[in-house]
Amino acid sequence: MKTIFSFLFFLVLSFGSMANPGLKELKENTRIEAKDQLVRVHFKSAIERVTLRLTDKSGKTLFNEKYQTKEPVIIPLNLSQLDEGNYVLHVIGDEGSNSYEIENRKKVLLPLMAYGKQAGPHKVSLLVVGLEKPGTIVKFFDHANRLLLNETINEPKGFRKDYVFEHIPVNGLTLMVADADGREKYIRFDN
């Protein structure tokens, strides 16, 4: 009797795991990547028919689109128009659906970390750290707000550089540093 019960239990488990192979395949084929206010849904192989539905915590549908592809694809979802908070992304296939909780947060930009100091009567030392992208603009202006120097530094993380103005005293100059994210910092050299 014990053997028959064990055999029936094994059969139920076997059929239960085979009952929905499409749902397991959908889950294995799907990868969700969320950063700040951008969600990327990666499908590792072709998808016959799939629906992406985004709902809030109360279940209200905010986004609902159907997709079909013949090759792997990445579908981006921009959440910047939605309030910060938690949402649920439903990936719905013919065999069932999988749900993923997503947190929508605005990216926090820290102030630009640029430090300039007078290193002599005609010399300025500049240190910029914490950059995420190359393309930092450095400008120097004189006391009358005329542009003396304008250059772009293409270092991805940060840099240190000395600037020498042979016939112009550093006292009264203004330094402007702007990174690729649009953050700016002004430093005025006055004694």
Side-chain angles (χ1 to χ4, degrees):
M1 184 71 176
K2 200 176 202 184
T3 308
I4 293 173
F5 180 72
S6 298
F7 180 69
L8 286 174
F9 183 71
F10 176 73
L11 277 175
V12 168
L13 282 178
S14 297
F15 284 120
S17 64
M18 291 173 38
N20 206 347
L23 184 58
K24 184 179 177 192
E25 187 178 304
L26 178 67
K27 186 168 190 141
E28 289 174 355
N29 188 30
T30 307
R31 184 171 60 95
I32 306 297
E33 178 183 301
K35 184 176 179 188
D36 301 322
Q37 295 187 301
L38 181 65
V39 176
R40 290 184 178 99
V41 182
H42 298 257
F43 290 105
K44 298 173 191 169
S45 62
I47 49 175
E48 284 298 317
R49 284 185 299 256
V50 70
T51 301
L52 297 181
R53 179 179 300 143
L54 184 69
T55 60
D56 61 12
K57 280 294 192 178
S58 67
K60 179 181 174 189
T61 299
L62 305 169
F63 174 83
N64 191 34
E65 286 292 324
K66 295 181 184 196
Y67 297 93
Q68 182 175 359
T69 68
K70 296 181 183 186
E71 57 191 31
V73 69
I74 299 172
I75 300 171
L77 302 174
N78 184 350
L79 306 182
S80 63
Q81 300 298 316
L82 300 176
D83 293 334
E84 287 188 18
N86 294 325
Y87 296 90
V88 179
L89 178 64
H90 306 272
V91 180
I92 305 164
D94 291 336
E95 304 295 326
S97 69
N98 294 311
S99 299
Y100 303 89
E101 288 211 17
I102 295 171
E103 183 179 7
N104 182 27
R105 288 186 308 196
K106 289 183 171 45
K107 184 176 182 177
V108 177
L109 279 180
L110 298 173
L112 179 60
M113 293 183 286
Y115 308 96
K117 70 175 185 176
Q118 187 170 346
H122 300 283
K123 183 176 179 182
V124 170
S125 182
L126 173 64
L127 172 67
V128 180
V129 295
L131 300 174
E132 292 182 13
K133 303 175 200 166
T136 303
I137 297 170
V138 177
K139 294 182 180 181
F140 279 92
F141 301 92
D142 68 5
H143 66 284
N145 209 25
R146 290 182 298 231
L147 183 64
L148 298 175
L149 179 117
N150 181 9
E151 76 171 335
T152 302
I153 310 278
N154 286 314
E155 293 295 324
K157 302 288 182 189
F159 61 92
R160 175 185 300 273
K161 187 167 182 182
D162 291 332
Y163 294 91
V164 178
F165 300 94
E166 290 187 23
H167 303 293
I168 302 171
V170 171
N171 192 27
L173 296 183
T174 301
L175 165 64
M176 188 277 291
V177 181
D179 71 359
D181 289 324
R183 300 178 296 177
E184 293 183 350
K185 185 166 185 180
Y186 289 87
I187 301 169
R188 178 114 172 123
F189 298 99
D190 285 325
N191 283 343

